[in-house]
């Protein structure tokens, strides 16, 4: 899959997106918006993503009862954080500004993701 291209498209989709990372099969492909300072180090980001992959696997355990998970949203004091599944076991991780339209961002990301089989 063209993860770097997907990262670029997601960043271009909304100016309030700060960061996009795609974590799949132990590899991280990511991009930070120019001029933005990361809140986490690279190591902290990778640890956070591995934890998100675990949490996502637990969400899938109830899919037969409540449906397949489409995205997860967390609001922190400084950012919104979205996780969206991609590929077999991959996740897209996005951080966005607190004044963003996060549901609008989700829709844009789902459109981009669905362009890639």
């Amino acid at each position: 899959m063209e993860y770097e291209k997907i990262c670029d498209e997601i960043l271009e989709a909304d100016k309030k997106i700060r960061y996009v990372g795609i974590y799949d099969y132990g590899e991280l492909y990511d991009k930070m918006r120019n001029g933005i300072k990361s809140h986490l180090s690279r190591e902290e980001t990778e640890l956070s993503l591995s934890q998100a992959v675990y949490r996502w696997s637990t969400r899938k355990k109830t899919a037969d009862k409540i449906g397949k998970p489409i995205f997860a949203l967390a609001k922190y004091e400084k950012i919104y954080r979205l996780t969206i599944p991609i590929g077999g076991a991959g996740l897209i991780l996005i951080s966005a500004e607190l004044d963003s339209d996060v549901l609008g961002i989700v829709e844009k990301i789902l459109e981009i993701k669905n362009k890639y089989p």
Side-chain angles (χ1 to χ4, degrees), residues 91-102:
L91 277 183
I92 302 172
L93 175 76
I94 296 99
S95 68
E97 301 293 350
L98 290 175
D99 62 345
S100 63
D101 172 13
V102 287

Side-chain angles (χ1 to χ4, degrees), residues 19 23 28 45-53 81 91 93:
Y19 167 87
Y23 189 75
L28 174 61
T45 298
E46 289 178 356
L47 176 61
S48 179
L49 274 163
S50 66
Q51 293 168 343
V53 168
R81 181 174 152 181
L91 277 183
L93 175 76

Side-chain angles (χ1 to χ4, degrees), residues 1-48:
M1 201 170 287
E2 301 174 59
Y3 293 135
E4 290 187 32
K5 184 176 180 184
I6 295 170
C7 287
D8 288 336
E9 285 188 45
I10 289 172
L11 269 182
E12 291 171 13
D14 194 292
K15 64 182 174 140
K16 295 293 184 174
I17 296 173
R18 299 173 45 87
Y19 167 87
V20 58
I22 300 176
Y23 189 75
D24 201 10
Y25 298 109
E27 295 290 325
L28 174 61
Y29 307 85
D30 63 346
K31 300 268 177 145
M32 176 73 69
R33 182 167 303 284
N34 288 334
I36 298 289
K37 185 177 183 297
S38 179
H39 294 295
L40 301 176
S41 69
R42 177 76 174 188
E43 294 77 23
E44 291 168 326
T45 298
E46 289 178 356
L47 176 61
S48 179

Side-chain angles (χ1 to χ4, degrees), residues 43-91:
E43 294 77 23
E44 291 168 326
T45 298
E46 289 178 356
L47 176 61
S48 179
L49 274 163
S50 66
Q51 293 168 343
V53 168
Y54 173 75
R55 285 191 306 274
W56 200 262
S57 70
T58 62
R59 287 184 185 102
K60 293 193 298 188
K61 291 180 181 179
T62 57
D64 60 326
K65 295 182 179 184
I66 59 174
K68 182 174 71 171
I70 298 168
F71 73 93
L73 169 65
K75 182 179 181 181
Y76 294 87
E77 290 178 338
K78 296 181 179 183
I79 60 163
Y80 281 114
R81 181 174 152 181
L82 296 155
T83 50
I84 298 172
I86 190 167
L91 277 183

